[in-house]
Amino acid sequence: MVGAHRTDDPAWPGDVLARIEERRQEYVDLLIDYVSRPSVSASGEGVADVAHYIRDRMEAFGLDTRLIPTAGAPMVFGQRTGAGGPTLLLYGHYDVQPADPADGWTSDPFTPVIRDGRVYARGAADNKGQHLAQLLAVEAFLSCHGQLPCDVKVLLEGEEEIGSPRMPEFVAEHGDLLAADLVVVSDGPVDPSGRPMISLGVRGALGFELRATGANTELHSGHWGGVAPDPVWDLVQLLATMKDARGHVTIDGFYDEVQPLTAAEREALERLEIDVPAIKRDLGFDELAEPRERGVAERRVAWPTLTINGLHAGYDGPGLKSVLPREAVAKCDIRLVEAQRADDVFAKVSAHVKRHAPHVTVTRRGSMEPSRTPIDFPYLEPVRRAIVAAQGQEPVLWPGIGGSLPLYVFTKTLGVPTVQVPCGNADQSQHGPDENLTLDWFMAGIRTTAVLLAELGRHTDARPGPESS
Amino acid sequence: MVGAHRTDDPAWPGDVLARIEERRQEYVDLLIDYVSRPSVSASGEGVADVAHYIRDRMEAFGLDTRLIPTAGAPMVFGQRTGAGGPTLLLYGHYDVQPADPADGWTSDPFTPVIRDGRVYARGAADNKGQHLAQLLAVEAFLSCHGQLPCDVKVLLEGEEEIGSPRMPEFVAEHGDLLAADLVVVSDGPVDPSGRPMISLGVRGALGFELRATGANTELHSGHWGGVAPDPVWDLVQLLATMKDARGHVTIDGFYDEVQPLTAAEREALERLEIDVPAIKRDLGFDELAEPRERGVAERRVAWPTLTINGLHAGYDGPGLKSVLPREAVAKCDIRLVEAQRADDVFAKVSAHVKRHAPHVTVTRRGSMEPSRTPIDFPYLEPVRRAIVAAQGQEPVLWPGIGGSLPLYVFTKTLGVPTVQVPCGNADQSQHGPDENLTLDWFMAGIRTTAVLLAELGRHTDARPGPESS
């Protein structure tokens, strides 16, 4: 069996694109229904229900689906094979970040609202809206043609926002099921300029928590300040040994494994046009973080970071409370670049804490390795053409982005080139309040995947597909 | 008119002490009623109601009372004059620290419960139970004799727990109303050994808040960590410049005005027996704060401190959230010793912040000056005798304690020697969860004030009182 309409007709797949436009309202309604369902992996709220929900949708769209249990949230797998040609694996995540109306949301995070052409809801952009767009391209193709131009597999996980703890083992154990020629991930924002983008890498992430404890109860600061041990000062002084005011992480050996960019990667970075004044204006600050002379793209692609995501001790109410807190906690994340490894960096963090503040406990909270697909990988051109055809603009090529996704399980474990093609607005407020996805980007995401399927079908015509090799 | 029963009868005032014992249950019921009424100055909850409540009680006990409005909580004033002799001014506060069952209380902080001979409630020890005990001594004396052996004035304020912002102006403007020969304050815990104590001084306090801000919204740490300004690192690095790991405050000039103890004060400190192993065992820690070689009493009396009462930024829920917080806040207090002045120290803090982190805002949050009554002041002996007679033990003499009360308004503004005679158990958990007062200490407080009134009446017999000078 061969895929639908393998052809060099440049209008192909015009009928599918027309079908997508006809079904716009129906597709938006599906998006609203999907993001109205909480699936917060940090707390577990709704995760299992949403796994079943999206699996049922995928089945209805025409995929053969399986819900595969793990020790955590189930994996949702779907495929439509038999077309031959290159196999495209789509990866996304059906879980979302925590959200609370008290966090500053204009409307309830799980009561989607359309305002000014955007759907506001937790998960609208990260990642429900973006992988739903991919799935709807499959739906549109199948509803037009009853078959696809290339083989498609889909893997949606439910624990990405807590560091994808099941992905490494799952992918390692399901190499045959997931065998593919190209992985495409649609997640995160597009280029800050608003132009479409292709990214070839992500940073890794290592989460950890530092906890300093003092007396067995909160004490009066007048009687016990300067007498009893002070966990807040202990933690502050420890943290201050971990990063300096120049933005340099001062954990011993932290940068040892960092791999410099290749010349081609540096050239690609230089071609990026980043509107730093616009960033400053939009986000309301005057200066970038130190070191000030370093470029924004280089910071995200080439440098690891250490961020304190949360720092909490003692009184947090109105007015004053003259207490000596009983404990202080810092929740931190490190973003890793090639070729840092989470185990190695965590060992360095632990050794640093042991040396500087042996009474402070350090607890690992999940990690993922970085991933980088070489800039000369074989499917860059069909992806680029799909974007141009579907979105009418040349994409910006990033050698990598600052965020983290467990793409290393594809690049490092399976050895499959992996490309990120976000179809979400740059101002999506991902992880923050008022997360949103524009309907224009949602529709562009559907069209982009539809054309990519066609492009990969064409690509097979020019190169031997797996079934004939 | 002269005071009741001026006599050298060593049994005096035995009838009053007998009356106090008879009324034990009635007095405990009054205590329970008083502490069941929230009066949280940090939020304002219940403060005005409780001012009226305790004024009505004082009137019922036989004092001429006035509720004197201020720009904040009203002052409650009461007096019983005409006895002549030295005038005793009792000072306390009817407001309490914030409390919430979620803070770790075994029972609700405003639903008093008696367990094992202790009343558990916010304010039981700090300060409602202790000044109520003083007032009940007046009540007992008047119910036995219809008059007091010396003149008594009472001043209760309602904003002590937020730094007594009205006291300096109020006392300065009411010098005649408050004129007295001795101020006695019953607040805070007794000596950690459990023995009664007399303290001659308190440290001052200076509250301030540091606030660092970054972008105008919470950001994704993967995309913006190391790119956008980071308020958490800014605050951590600033704080680390303010105190070192040896416990030394590193704000320029911080220790300049610190006045060394006199030889008599040092001798008094050396006589103190502090059971450091018991402190460590009770409070669950292994080592005192740095510098380890410094004595506990010396730390509290002779050294200023800088404590971070609260430190908050970013995510504080379960699991992880990979955000770059938009702001970080530290609420701090400095305890001041003679002869530091709050204005001067705050100027040094502000200059330090401006030099090290000009973008961090520093906001003053109330202050009070330190106070120290010379160890050779004229009324030490009657106070000591009252304690011995009422409690059966020699008091421990502290040249000062670590906590803060606005006693400088008496010592510095009015020029009246001021002595602290706490009648609250050492393990009262003042400012913490499960604050409590033992009924034994409550009753001892009533007896101590009753005997002190008699001692001051006697003192007048031996020395010319104000009415005959």
Side-chain angles (χ1 to χ4, degrees), chain A residues 223, chain B residues 17 20 31 35 90-92 117-119 123-137 184-192 194-199 383-396 398 401 405 419-430 435-452:
Chain A
H223 296 290
Chain B
L17 297 179
I20 290 168
L31 170 61
V35 295
L90 302 171
Y91 159 75
R118 295 166 186 244
V119 175
D126 180 15
N127 169 254
K128 287 172 172 170
Q130 297 203 47
H131 66 248
L132 180 63
Q134 294 175 309
L135 295 170
L136 291 171
V184 170
V185 183
S186 186
D187 198 7
V190 294
D191 190 76
R195 286 175 57 192
M197 70 180 273
I198 299 172
S199 163
V383 173
R384 187 196 66 77
R385 280 202 305 265
I387 291 171
V388 171
Q391 303 180 30
Q393 280 193 92
E394 272 294 333
V396 178
W398 286 70
I401 58 161
L405 289 166
V419 58
Q420 225 186 324
V421 182
C423 286
N425 36 301
D427 58 350
Q428 64 186 236
S429 188
Q430 183 192 23
E435 179 179 342
N436 68 90
L437 180 66
T438 68
L439 297 180
D440 286 349
W441 269 114
F442 177 60
M443 297 305 295
I446 305 173
R447 290 195 305 273
T448 302
T449 300
V451 182
L452 178 60

Side-chain angles (χ1 to χ4, degrees), chain A residues 153-185:
Chain A
K153 297 178 177 180
V154 179
L155 178 67
L156 301 180
E157 69 149 317
E159 294 175 299
E160 195 272 341
E161 298 294 5
I162 55 170
S164 300
R166 320 295 164 193
M167 280 290 284
E169 188 179 322
F170 180 83
V171 172
E173 288 179 356
H174 294 81
D176 288 346
L177 187 71
L178 299 172
D181 298 285
L182 172 65
V183 177
V184 170
V185 183

Side-chain angles (χ1 to χ4, degrees), chain A residues 42 97-98 103 122 161-162 189 203 207 214-230 232-233 236-237 239-240 242-245 279 281-285 287-290 296 299-300 305-325 331 333 335 365 401-403 430-433, chain B residues 42 97-98 103 122 161-162 189 203 207 214-230 232-233 236-237 239-240 242-245 279 281-285 287-290 296 299-300 305-325 331 333 335 365 401-403 430-433:
Chain A
Q97 281 277 323
D103 291 345
R122 175 56 89 222
E161 298 294 5
I162 55 170
R203 288 195 289 193
N216 53 21
T217 186
E218 190 174 85
L219 296 171
H220 183 289
S221 63
H223 296 290
W224 295 105
V227 179
D230 189 323
V232 195
W233 279 114
V236 163
Q237 286 154 351
L239 287 168
M242 297 173 77
K243 187 171 167 181
D244 68 21
I279 290 174
R281 194 173 57 240
D282 292 348
L283 296 180
F285 56 80
E287 298 290 350
L288 297 177
E290 293 282 3
V296 169
R299 291 171 193 244
R300 289 183 176 148
T305 62
L306 169 54
T307 302
I308 303 169
N309 311 121
L311 180 58
H312 293 279
Y315 188 62
D316 195 23
L320 294 176
K321 191 174 179 190
S322 49
V323 295
L324 172 61
K331 295 183 181 224
D333 75 3
R335 298 289 165 158
R365 295 278 188 231
I401 59 161
Q430 182 191 23
H431 290 210
Chain B
Q97 281 278 324
D103 292 345
R122 175 57 89 220
E161 298 293 6
I162 55 170
R203 289 194 290 193
N216 54 20
T217 186
E218 190 174 86
L219 296 170
H220 184 288
S221 64
H223 296 290
W224 294 105
V227 179
D230 189 323
V232 195
W233 279 114
V236 164
Q237 285 154 350
L239 287 168
M242 297 174 77
K243 187 171 167 181
D244 68 21
I279 290 174
R281 194 175 56 241
D282 291 349
L283 296 180
F285 56 80
E287 298 290 349
L288 296 177
E290 293 283 1
V296 168
R299 292 171 193 244
R300 288 182 176 149
T305 62
L306 170 54
T307 302
I308 303 169
N309 311 122
L311 180 59
H312 293 279
Y315 187 62
D316 195 24
L320 294 176
K321 191 174 179 189
S322 48
V323 294
L324 172 59
K331 296 185 180 221
D333 75 4
R335 298 291 165 156
R365 294 278 187 232
I401 58 161
Q430 183 192 23
H431 290 210

